[in-house]
Amino acid sequence: MCRWLAYSGSPILLEELLYRPSPSLIDQSLHAQMGAEATNGDGFGVGWYGLDTTTRDMPDTRGPNVPVLFRGIEPAWNDQNLRELARSTSSGLFFAHLRASTGSPVQQTNCHPFRHDRWLWMHNGAIRDFALLKRDLTLAVDPALYPAMEGSTDSEVMFHLAMTFGLKDDPVTAVERMVGFVEATGRRHGVEHPVQMTVATSDGERMWSFRYSSEHQSRTLYVSAEMATLRLLYPDNPAFVGLSEETRVVVSEPVGDFAGAWHPFPESSYGIVQPGDDVMGDFRPRDP
């Protein structure tokens, strides 16, 4: 399994969450407390939204606000380039992921986050017996999206299935349809509980997170408390100074040692971090 973190709010340096808290996300690459494995050393990735390319004199042909990816196959704790990048790169919306492979090769194209146009996607969990289901799942991907799949993970197939089922238009429904399709495919092949997932995805403006498993025993997922609450709890802590009320962090397991700072996602739920009021709702797989 894996560990991941998704941040939305006032622009900060990536190192503020990757390295500075104790424990930090990078600490979890060696000493995860709530994952299936304590060590998550099969590569890493960060994806962040920066300058909106529509404001530049020479527009990027990829389109507006396309996220940047940096991924590597070394363990995150041992990658000096990641440390250098994190101390010099700031963003108001970024993903970070530590990979623990469930069987697919350790290669850059298998490292999260995955990207398509403005969208980022990362996943902790697995499709059980993926090798048995892979052909049926892959062939259901929209032919226009199929060439964009570069790796061999179940996570990337899930992403492109969600895109196929309408992620750009209605992310919650699209992910519910994706999970419903994977579960139906699993049942046809005799796989009783095919889906185990916590997922984050974003279009650069809002951030969606999902916690679900077919057996309803999902991996952990937490969201940070409101900034007003954190300032009341820790009035002398400089970490919370200058951050907007919109700032939120979603994590596989908490970073930093702040009692009361983290709220668990309920079983079978989704959350939306967005300007204004955030949303939490029930996640229900549906027929595609």
Side-chain angles (χ1 to χ4, degrees):
M1 301 299 174
C2 310
R3 302 285 81 186
W4 60 255
L5 173 154
Y7 174 87
S8 177
S10 300
I12 62 171
L13 290 170
L14 272 59
E15 72 171 358
E16 295 290 340
L17 289 172
L18 269 62
Y19 289 96
R20 287 190 180 180
S22 181
S24 68
L25 184 70
I26 299 303
D27 290 333
Q28 293 175 17
S29 64
L30 270 171
H31 304 293
Q33 300 297 311
M34 299 181 180
E37 300 88 11
T39 303
N40 298 271
D42 295 326
F44 66 87
V46 291
W48 68 95
Y49 295 86
L51 178 67
D52 189 332
T53 57
T54 59
T55 66
R56 296 163 59 184
D57 293 336
M58 296 293 290
D60 190 321
T61 56
R62 296 175 300 177
N65 205 19
V66 173
V68 180
L69 291 182
F70 178 70
R71 301 182 293 180
I73 60 173
E74 292 187 4
W77 70 78
N78 196 41
D79 194 286
Q80 291 302 313
N81 288 326
L82 175 61
R83 185 178 293 273
E84 289 293 313
L85 181 144
R87 65 186 288 267
S88 60
T89 301
S90 64
S91 173
L93 203 165
F94 62 87
F95 285 6
H97 188 278
L98 308 172
R99 184 168 184 250
S101 173
T102 55
S104 54
V106 178
Q107 61 191 47
Q108 191 176 94
T109 54
N110 283 343
C111 292
H112 310 218
F114 301 101
R115 178 183 64 195
H116 185 86
D117 294 335
R118 291 174 61 114
W119 289 83
L120 287 176
W121 174 282
M122 61 184 176
H123 168 230
N124 170 41
I127 295 177
R128 187 171 282 112
D129 291 325
F130 178 58
L132 183 63
L133 310 184
K134 183 177 180 180
R135 183 179 184 275
D136 288 356
L137 298 179
T138 303
L139 290 178
V141 171
D142 186 328
L145 296 171
Y146 186 89
M149 290 194 296
E150 298 178 332
S152 57
T153 64
D154 52 358
S155 304
E156 190 177 17
V157 172
M158 292 169 73
F159 179 30
H160 285 83
L161 282 171
M163 294 290 296
T164 299
F165 293 136
L167 186 70
K168 292 183 178 181
D169 299 319
D170 185 343
V172 173
T173 298
V175 176
E176 289 178 335
R177 294 176 67 196
M178 178 273 289
V179 170
F181 178 75
V182 174
E183 289 187 326
T185 302
R187 287 193 295 270
R188 290 200 306 272
H189 290 272
V191 180
E192 185 178 4
H193 298 302
V195 176
Q196 173 68 249
M197 72 173 206
T198 61
V199 162
T201 189
S202 179
D203 62 355
E205 298 176 2
R206 293 184 288 173
M207 191 167 73
W208 293 262
S209 303
F210 303 86
R211 181 179 183 229
Y212 177 79
S213 61
S214 301
E215 62 268 50
H216 304 297
Q217 297 178 4
S218 304
R219 302 301 181 195
T220 55
L221 192 64
Y222 294 84
V223 62
S224 60
E226 295 181 355
M227 289 308 305
T229 300
L230 293 176
R231 292 192 184 101
L232 285 173
L233 289 171
Y234 301 97
D236 300 323
N237 194 306
F240 306 129
V241 175
L243 296 179
S244 74
E245 298 301 321
E246 302 280 358
T247 299
R248 294 288 185 278
V249 189
V250 181
V251 292
S252 295
E253 64 181 78
V255 298
D257 186 17
F258 300 114
W262 301 99
H263 302 309
F265 270 61
E267 178 64 57
S268 302
S269 66
Y270 70 88
I272 307 173
V273 174
Q274 60 186 357
D277 293 335
D278 295 337
V279 174
M280 185 72 75
D282 295 331
F283 182 85
R284 299 184 178 93
R286 61 178 72 193
D287 294 335

